Amino acid sequence: MKIRKMREDIYWLGAVDWDRRLFDSLIPLPDGTSYNAYLIQGSEKTALLDTVDPPMADVLMFQLESVPRIDYIIAHHAEQDHSGTIPQVLGKYRNARVVTTPKGKGMLMDLLHIPEGKFITVEDGETLSLGNKTLEFIHTPWVHWPETMVTYLPEERILFSCDFFGSHLATSDLSVTDEARVYEAAKRYYAEIMMPFRKVIRKNLEKIGDRAIDLIAPSHGPIYDRPAFIVDAYRDWTSEEPKNVVVLPYISMHGSTAKMVEYLVSALAESGVTVHQFNLAVTDIGKLAITLVDAATIVIGTPTVHVGPHPNVVYAAYLANALRPKLKFASIIGSYGWSSKAIEQIAGLIPNLQVEILDPVLCQGYPREADFKALDNLAATIADKHRQHNLLTP
Ligand code: FEO
């Protein structure tokens, strides 16, 4: 992709990574991603905002062949998908300085071995003049590392937000053209890396809330020319109010747990509760994370393997615990052949979840009438709990 003009003297640079399918060796990327950098040419100074992931450094360095001078490299975030090409950019522009938060400086020195003399650190609210354009730096910690900041360009009312508001989405469109598609990609990104920090992110939303913003330019995915779309979505996702949703990750080996899941999902649906069921043998774990953003209740379904839960269930429970969603209730259903400690072991995996545990249902062998009755009771209890929290109308 060539350099693209956004406004007079403001350009998009960067790389679209259509083929990437995994981030951090952990996060599925079904739609690829992009590493957006931006160039702002003031009447006196020029700034490059962020760089690209090192495997795509050549793309950025080719784009920069037509840029004779860079005075400042703004590093919003030390993670290498944005910072990793800074050393190469510094090699080309010998007098450039890296502008970042005090925490960002230490992390960039550790991660990329950038010499200390190359840095300018900026405090929250500090500004840097490019002549006829001003960069205002707003510290926005924990989106999703402790050092993160964003840049506001008041003359053009543009917020450069790096990971904040970003979406893992490869597209040839500079700006959002399909809000529904971007909504899911941005929610996936929020769920996977920012959800645990939603309390701080709410404060960050307040911090940027009093600025007039015409464009939000993130460092992943397309630019928002209707900022209210993504800001409102973040307000919803970061609230502590869940929705009338049960998330049900499960796995089954010989059909007993699957039968229980099928029965429970049907009973919940009849009670007016929305259920998202995920068979962990085949699911995209990112879809599970997306559903955890809104869910009020998690029900984990597992067979028994060597007396404990199935390893895939252990992974899902560990992930849910790490993401700290706004869940209010949890339960476990499943089966065993001769002995099981699956319930105790799963309960031990989710200490971060501030949930009320609802009576689990564990059956020996294939479920019988009494087991189905217990599942009916569990469904009724979940619906009642959702009603008590005004998530489900009576
Ligand atoms: Fe896109 Fe946290 O890096």
Side-chain angles (χ1 to χ4, degrees), residues 23 77 79 81-82 143-145 162-163 168 189 193 220:
F23 198 83
H77 178 24
E79 193 166 11
D81 52 325
H82 309 293
V143 288
H144 57 121
W145 283 11
C162 200
D163 277 349
H168 280 309
Y189 195 38
I193 66 167
H220 295 292

